[in-house]
Amino acid sequence: MDHSTHDHEGRPHGTATWGTAVKATLHCLTGCAIGEILGMVIGTALEWGNVPTMVLAIGLAFLFGYSFTLFAVLRAGLGLGAAIRVALAADTVSIAVMELVDNAIIALTPGAMDAHLTDGLFWSALLGGFAVAFLITTPVNKWMIGRGKGHAVVHAHH
């Protein structure tokens, strides 16, 4: 089989399953959630304003999201420079869509930005935002993988 025209499961490039897209989105969601929750907790605990807290949360979401892919491709034997390029190519759109949707949900939920860590509203807005972001990002990832982009770039290094 000519691997240059097929994905890691033997399908021709240009095809992507919903299962592959879900796995890619869950991978992205995991990194985003860790970074964003950590950022929101830090910003809220330090009583920062909404903007610096969201900037920290989004920055950490990108950092953790990229890190998961970076460490995986480094373990597969890629050099650091190539691994960084793969992580950026694989995750940038997915993380950006996820963060845009999630943070829009939080910002548009009345009172969520002013809620404290002990408030159910804080956690329900955050987790609800992740759920909606997952539902919107999964088809984006499926579309990208089907075109050999996004997480399809990572599969070449497994």
Side-chain angles (χ1 to χ4, degrees), residues 41-53:
V41 167
I42 291 169
T44 302
L46 295 175
E47 297 181 4
W48 288 0
N50 293 339
V51 172
T53 297

Side-chain angles (χ1 to χ4, degrees), residues 64-101:
F64 278 89
Y66 286 137
S67 295
F68 280 23
T69 298
L70 181 67
F71 294 135
V73 294
L74 283 171
R75 278 194 312 270
L78 240 56
L80 182 60
I84 290 170
R85 286 189 296 278
V86 167
L88 292 172
D91 294 329
T92 299
V93 172
S94 184
I95 295 171
V97 171
M98 187 149 307
E99 286 302 298
L100 177 68
V101 173

Side-chain angles (χ1 to χ4, degrees), residues 54-68:
M54 284 186 97
V55 168
L56 176 63
I58 292 167
L60 289 175
F62 272 91
L63 178 69
F64 278 89
Y66 286 137
S67 295
F68 280 23

Side-chain angles (χ1 to χ4, degrees), residues 4-148:
S4 66
T5 61
H6 291 80
D7 70 10
H8 74 287
E9 294 172 358
R11 290 183 303 267
H13 285 301
T15 61
T17 66
W18 282 106
T20 301
V22 165
K23 286 179 190 174
T25 307
L26 286 173
H27 177 265
C28 176
L29 177 64
T30 302
C32 287
I34 291 169
E36 188 153 336
I37 290 171
L38 183 60
M40 291 291 208
V41 167
I42 291 169
T44 302
L46 295 175
E47 297 181 4
W48 288 0
N50 293 339
V51 172
T53 297
M54 284 186 97
V55 168
L56 176 63
I58 292 167
L60 289 175
F62 272 91
L63 178 69
F64 278 89
Y66 286 137
S67 295
F68 280 23
T69 298
L70 181 67
F71 294 135
V73 294
L74 283 171
R75 278 194 312 270
L78 240 56
L80 182 60
I84 290 170
R85 286 189 296 278
V86 167
L88 292 172
D91 294 329
T92 299
V93 172
S94 184
I95 295 171
V97 171
M98 187 149 307
E99 286 302 298
L100 177 68
V101 173
D102 178 52
N103 283 283
I105 298 286
I106 294 167
L108 295 173
T109 301
M113 293 300 298
D114 297 319
H116 296 280
L117 297 175
T118 56
D119 294 336
L121 180 59
F122 174 88
W123 294 103
S124 63
L126 188 61
L127 298 177
F130 288 143
V132 173
F134 175 81
L135 293 174
I136 292 173
T137 306
T138 299
V140 171
N141 281 333
K142 184 179 185 301
W143 181 82
M144 290 179 55
I145 292 166
R147 280 143 189 80

